[in-house]
Amino acid sequence: MSEELKTRNPDETLDVRGESCPVPEMMASKKLKKMKTGQILEVLTDHQPAVDVTLPSLCKSHGYPFEILRDGEVYKFRIMKVS
């Protein structure tokens, strides 16, 4: 599953660069609710606490697998929605 999160193109992208907590988590949660099982959401963020704490917490509370990719100053936080 982790390899799929790294290599598959995301179904949706959410750009929250410049936003601080709790905005990235709230917007990701809202977007995920509208997505179908098996789809991947890529959250673009430059806010370190979102990468370290709030987005992983969101994923763990729902059982969503996630992968973090770094592209320069931006993190691509990929989340797979599971049932």
Side-chain angles (χ1 to χ4, degrees), residues 9-78:
N9 287 333
D11 297 287
E12 299 273 348
T13 300
L14 178 64
D15 188 345
V16 291
R17 289 176 284 187
E19 299 287 351
S20 58
C21 292
V23 175
E25 178 191 13
M26 288 172 25
M27 292 180 72
S29 179
K30 190 174 180 180
K31 182 73 104 173
L32 284 161
K33 285 179 184 173
K34 296 177 182 176
M35 295 175 69
K36 295 176 184 159
T37 300
Q39 288 189 313
I40 295 174
L41 172 64
E42 182 175 80
V43 181
L44 303 177
T45 184
D46 53 7
H47 187 61
Q48 192 70 48
V51 173
D52 294 340
V53 181
T54 59
L55 289 171
S57 176
L58 169 70
C59 293
K60 289 172 185 168
S61 69
H62 292 284
Y64 296 158
F66 66 93
E67 189 68 43
I68 304 165
L69 307 172
R70 188 159 185 183
D71 186 7
E73 297 298 311
V74 178
Y75 291 94
K76 295 178 179 180
F77 196 101
R78 291 189 172 181

